[in-house]
Amino acid sequence: MRSLSLFGATMLAGAAYAEDVCRVLVLSGGGSNGAWEAGVLYGMLNGGNPADYEWDVVTGVSAGSINTSAIAGWKKGEESEMVSWLSDLWLNLHTDDVW
């Protein structure tokens, strides 16, 4: 019986905090994947409702960390402006800029 009451308490606590959500954007690495990620974000934000793509935490590795550091400078709610800037950054990046 104890586990049933613990389960019930957990369900009630979950219902009380249904509005308490933390959205995380996780970006992978892998060379040119950084440009691909910027394009995917651009498509999601410009093809859907930007409010559906607001996040509280951003993390990434390798090429994803490059995007993460760029994204971290923008406020929540400015995702559309940020993704346009990030996309332009990758579009104008040349090999000589990296090396």
Side-chain angles (χ1 to χ4, degrees):
M1 246 357 198
R2 181 176 167 96
S3 62
L4 181 60
S5 62
L6 181 59
F7 175 76
T10 303
M11 294 303 291
L12 288 173
Y17 296 105
E19 302 263 338
D20 192 17
V21 175
C22 179
R23 294 184 180 180
V24 180
L25 175 65
V26 180
L27 302 172
S28 67
S32 61
N33 281 347
W36 177 84
E37 289 170 345
V40 169
L41 290 171
Y42 184 90
M44 289 185 339
L45 286 161
N46 288 298
N49 180 3
D52 291 339
Y53 301 106
E54 292 180 354
W55 44 78
D56 302 301
V57 178
V58 182
T59 187
V61 64
S62 192
S65 68
I66 294 170
N67 286 338
T68 298
S69 62
I71 291 169
W74 294 81
K75 295 178 185 175
K76 188 174 179 179
E78 295 179 345
E79 289 81 10
S80 292
E81 295 87 353
M82 176 278 303
V83 78
S84 291
W85 176 84
L86 185 62
S87 182
D88 287 342
L89 177 73
W90 281 105
L91 283 171
N92 295 309
L93 188 66
H94 302 285
T95 304
D96 292 342
D97 298 330
V98 176
W99 298 110

